[in-house]
Amino acid sequence: MTNSDTAPPKGLDALDAESQGILQRVFGYREFRGLQHDVISHVNAGGNCLVLMPTGGGKSLCFQIPSLVRPGLGIVVSPLIALMQDQVSTLKELGVRAAMLNSNVTSEDAAATYRALRDNSLDLLYLAPERLMLSETLTLLSNLKIGLIAIDEAHCVSQWGHDFRPEYLQLSILATQFPDVPRIALTATADEITRKEIVEKLSLQSGRVFVSNFDRPNIRYQIALKDDPRKQLRAFLASQPTGDAGIIYCLSRKKVDETAAWLRKEGFNALAYHAGMNGADRARNQSTFINEEGVIIVATIAFGMGIDKPNVRFVAHLDLPKSIESYYQETGRAGRDGLPATAWMVYGMGDLVSLRSMMAQSDASEQQKKIEQAKLNALLGLCETTQCRRQVLLRYFGETPPSRCENCDTCLVVVKRWDGTIAAQKALSTVFRTGQRFGAGYLCMILRGETDERVARFGHDQLSVFGIGKDLNDKQWLSVLRQLVAAGYLNVDVAGYGGLMFTDKSKEALKGSTQIFFRDDPTLLIPSKEKGRSKNTRVRVANYGADTEIVTRLKELRLKLAKEQRIPPYIIFHDSTLVEMAKAKPKTLADMREISGVGDAKLARYGEQFLAVFSDSSSPTPDRTMDRGPLVRTIAR
Ligand code: ADP
Ligand code: ZN
């Protein structure tokens, strides 16, 4: 794989101009984003490539536009039916001739697609990898003119990744089967190992690698210590407009069910999703989430892949994910449309214990377990950091971001740090004197000088450390112990009963030769009566500085049209398009066409109806609005 530019062959300027025209006429967008232009130009010229862009970065246009520009059919390999469905519906709405072949397609539809293929009347064909590899499909395609082959979610070829799909391995034959057709692989998984594996397995060595910046500037990161997680969650949700859709991740199926039921009781429109539910219920809940506005889905990580809903406004984690990669992938499902979104998480000691014991019990090799452990520690480092969260995240992905982003909790609220060198010594001695086998709760009692039947039985009230920590309260000691674990000064004994044990760093800290700083977690400082708002205080709809009444009416019209056609509302127009419309208040179709996201086909199909909203919007009624300006007040409640 080379990263150098090759001199463009003749005629490329014309192809570039055509691409620009398609961007505006078909997609209704003003300009290319980030690396899109470079990638498209490279593929137009017939080059192979691997494209790494974060979720929501705009990967689809990178193959959709060259498919329209280059002569012949564009083939897109996609691992999930839901993804194909979404893209094909989106393209059809834009007036692009797209179709798909997978196990869900009726035989009638499939026959029509085969006919269209023979008549050369398709621009793009989406296929599951196993369908593409059927010899009949390969024979059919080898008789057609193919403009390009795109391999979406290309990390599925990697055994290292979490989404490994054996069928993807067979895609290696595309290089020999279609030697003259450019191949473009795309993924949002950025790590070096996966990247190398994709290049190797898809024979892209001679192609280019396009690596985009992985920042998601519209996502606000907020991470807090678990105090009373339900209250914390309720307070967070209360700060979100009711019209907002979001995902809440939990570790276990049981917790998913309980949390969803509790949220419904609290008046939220919440549905559950996990692999233990029956298929019909699961599919119904997923479809409600996609097709309706303002649904909160409570899910295990079984939910997410294949969900392209662009207006997910928040992703909340009630339990720690396994790694920064998982955290970034899961939170990346928020705000694909570029509008402000929030990644919210609470974490606690219990999470560590359950994740570590899950890891200890798994069948993975020792090597693999070490990797997993290291990944979990890195995630804890993110939780405990006193630095900008975005900086920690992006550094983890190999970037060199600025030191402050001004859009995460550590940048927005002052993080109090304190010199905990002495507290660490006290905690570590207590762990040592009690024999390195007790959990945090017990250690707190000893530190605070409190006694119970167990303390008396073990005679721990006679120890020199008994009561040496009266200067801090229970919560503060728990925080100290957790941060000592996070910073690697203590380990959790997952093979035993979750007691805290020394690591090779402990002795050094015990001597006081290293200075240790702790994060003063904001949740420890908030008086409890401020937490949680009553259930009815959620504002109705986010307006992003536009007229709330108009945004609401535009959304209602969109929902009505979507229901008539049985497609998700966002396929008609994105929220960002409606917001821009509400601000621009178009009077004519020409005004409407100026709005980003309104291309020729949509203008013709929906222009008049959306214009009508403006002609009869007399006097907007006042409403409780929520302008997502500075959100500092929503943090640390
Ligand atoms: P990815 O596949 O990388 O997650 P998508 O291709 O789904 O991202 O694009 C994310 C969103 O951004 C889509 O809704 C898409 O329509 C929009 N988008 C992509 N490129 C542009 C652009 N140049 N201008 C405006 N919006 C864009
Ligand atoms: Zn920041």
Side-chain angles (χ1 to χ4, degrees), residues 419-541:
D419 184 339
T421 313
I422 299 199
Q425 283 175 293
K426 289 181 182 174
L428 291 168
S429 331
T430 307
V431 171
F432 189 72
R433 303 263 169 215
T434 51
Q436 305 188 46
R437 58 199 176 98
F438 291 93
Y442 186 86
L443 295 165
C444 269
M445 286 185 63
I446 306 298
L447 280 157
R448 300 262 313 133
E450 289 155 11
T451 188
D452 70 357
E453 175 271 322
R454 276 203 309 165
V455 175
R457 178 151 44 94
F458 291 122
H460 287 161
D461 47 357
Q462 304 303 314
L463 294 175
S464 58
V465 291
F466 186 75
I468 51 164
K470 289 197 170 133
D471 49 332
L472 299 182
N473 66 28
D474 273 358
K475 282 189 175 169
Q476 288 166 321
W477 276 121
L478 284 176
S479 167
V480 165
L481 289 165
R482 197 174 19 69
Q483 294 191 51
L484 285 171
V485 174
Y489 292 107
L490 284 175
N491 249 341
V492 180
D493 175 15
V494 287
Y497 294 98
L500 297 180
M501 311 181 298
F502 269 28
T503 67
D504 27 335
K505 279 168 82 177
S506 314
K507 287 256 160 69
E508 193 189 313
L510 194 55
K511 281 190 246 138
S513 49
T514 29
Q515 211 179 6
I516 298 178
F517 283 96
F518 292 125
R519 183 188 177 97
D520 225 353
D521 201 285
T523 53
L524 294 173
L525 310 172
I526 302 155
S528 54
K529 66 174 180 340
E530 264 186 43
K531 282 177 269 162
R533 274 203 244 161
S534 84
K535 50 185 133 177
N536 293 321
T537 55
R538 288 178 92 199
V539 281
R540 212 151 64 85
V541 61

Side-chain angles (χ1 to χ4, degrees), residues 99-102 105-119 121-122 125 131 136 140:
M100 61 182 185
L101 287 174
N102 58 47
V105 173
T106 63
S107 51
E108 269 173 348
D109 284 350
T113 300
Y114 283 118
R115 259 197 316 278
L117 283 173
R118 279 182 216 104
D119 300 346
S121 60
L122 270 188
L125 175 67
R131 176 69 71 128
E136 56 189 270
L140 171 70

Side-chain angles (χ1 to χ4, degrees), residues 221 387-392 402-412:
Y221 298 99
Q387 298 169 343
C388 167
R389 309 264 191 214
R390 193 177 312 272
Q391 192 198 14
V392 174
S403 61
R404 291 176 64 84
C405 74
E406 307 303 343
N407 196 23
C408 74
D409 53 358
T410 30
C411 284
L412 293 168

Side-chain angles (χ1 to χ4, degrees), residues 565-582:
Q565 299 176 69
R566 295 162 175 269
I567 53 175
Y570 58 79
I571 288 189
I572 296 186
F573 285 128
H574 278 186
D575 287 5
S576 48
T577 300
L578 296 189
V579 168
E580 197 179 321
M581 221 180 259

Side-chain angles (χ1 to χ4, degrees), residues 23 29 31-33 36 54-61 336 574:
L23 177 76
Y29 296 143
E31 52 202 21
F32 286 115
R33 265 194 205 157
Q36 280 176 337
T55 310
K59 287 185 282 298
S60 324
L61 287 194
R336 277 169 185 260
H574 278 186

Side-chain angles (χ1 to χ4, degrees), residues 31-283:
E31 52 202 21
F32 286 115
R33 265 194 205 157
L35 292 173
Q36 280 176 337
H37 180 266
D38 294 353
V39 176
I40 289 171
S41 185
H42 177 79
V43 179
N44 281 344
N48 295 330
C49 58
L50 168 59
V51 177
L52 302 142
M53 276 187 194
T55 310
K59 287 185 282 298
S60 324
L61 287 194
C62 295
F63 56 85
Q64 288 169 345
I65 290 185
S67 293
L68 297 177
V69 168
R70 288 178 60 83
L73 175 73
I75 293 177
V76 186
V77 182
S78 175
L80 282 177
I81 292 171
L83 282 176
M84 287 187 222
Q85 178 78 58
D86 218 66
Q87 292 215 0
V88 169
S89 307
T90 300
L91 287 167
K92 282 184 170 167
E93 276 290 297
L94 294 168
V96 175
R97 302 174 303 175
M100 61 182 185
L101 287 174
N102 58 47
S103 53
N104 253 22
V105 173
T106 63
S107 51
E108 269 173 348
D109 284 350
T113 300
Y114 283 118
R115 259 197 316 278
L117 283 173
R118 279 182 216 104
D119 300 346
N120 292 319
S121 60
L122 270 188
D123 299 313
L124 275 135
L125 175 67
Y126 283 73
L127 287 165
E130 50 275 25
R131 176 69 71 128
L132 172 60
M133 285 306 137
L134 291 179
S135 62
E136 56 189 270
T137 315
L138 288 171
T139 314
L140 171 70
L141 295 180
S142 58
N143 290 319
L144 298 175
K145 176 142 188 67
I146 309 292
L148 67 85
I149 301 173
I151 299 147
D152 206 2
E153 311 290 343
H155 61 279
C156 290
V157 82
S158 158
Q159 261 141 330
W160 272 92
H162 30 80
D163 298 323
F164 176 58
R165 294 273 303 253
E167 312 86 73
Y168 260 65
L169 287 177
Q170 298 171 25
L171 297 175
S172 62
I173 68 158
L174 293 174
T176 41
Q177 187 97 13
F178 301 97
D180 303 325
V181 178
R183 280 167 296 120
I184 165 172
L186 308 105
T187 178
T189 304
D191 66 87
E192 194 62 42
I193 305 177
T194 313
R195 199 186 296 183
K196 283 203 178 114
E197 244 187 307
I198 297 173
V199 168
E200 208 177 288
K201 302 229 170 96
L202 297 179
S203 311
L204 291 169
Q205 291 83 350
S206 64
R208 247 185 93 172
V209 185
F210 292 93
V211 185
S212 120
N213 171 339
F214 264 71
D215 189 19
R216 301 286 310 281
N218 60 317
I219 298 184
R220 173 166 296 181
Y221 298 99
Q222 288 177 225
I223 303 177
L225 194 57
K226 259 184 210 174
D227 176 19
D228 180 339
R230 284 196 173 174
K231 268 193 188 165
Q232 287 170 296
L233 177 65
R234 189 171 54 198
F236 168 67
L237 294 178
S239 72
Q240 302 289 306
T242 40
D244 280 5
I247 305 173
I248 299 173
Y249 283 113
C250 304
L251 199 59
S252 71
R253 296 170 183 183
K254 180 160 169 271
K255 186 157 168 188
V256 164
D257 288 332
E258 288 170 359
T259 308
W262 169 73
L263 282 173
R264 280 195 297 275
K265 265 216 316 266
E266 292 282 316
F268 294 100
N269 187 5
L271 297 172
Y273 186 102
H274 59 69
M277 288 164 60
N278 78 51
D281 288 349
R282 210 168 56 211

